[in-house]
Amino acid sequence: MRQLVGRNFARLRKAKGLTQEEVEARSGVSQQYLSSLERGRRNPTVITLYELAQVLEVSVADLVRMDED
């Protein structure tokens, strides 16, 4: 699940044209945390998922949705 969330976050962030630093500035979540999240090494809380979804203007479900491959 951590890797899935990390992949989804990275894909959505890039699709919005945002850097990790821009997400940090908008969310208060550190760039180091975001980097670890994208690599599947962090287990984000529901609150963190909500805050990141708000920055990306997506739903929390979009962050945890299974790959459609």
Side-chain angles (χ1 to χ4, degrees), residues 14-67:
K14 291 173 186 174
K16 297 287 182 174
L18 296 171
T19 65
Q20 290 177 353
E21 291 81 6
E22 290 169 323
V23 174
E24 175 184 33
R26 295 178 187 190
S27 69
V29 177
S30 76
Q31 185 274 326
Q32 292 86 359
Y33 183 96
L34 297 173
S35 177
S36 293
L37 177 70
E38 289 187 3
R39 289 183 280 129
R41 298 187 180 195
R42 288 290 186 153
N43 192 21
T45 65
V46 173
I47 293 168
T48 300
L49 288 174
Y50 175 80
E51 291 170 351
L52 295 176
Q54 293 296 301
V55 169
L56 297 176
E57 298 176 333
V58 299
S59 70
V60 171
D62 291 327
L63 291 173
V64 297
R65 184 167 284 127
M66 297 295 274
D67 296 341

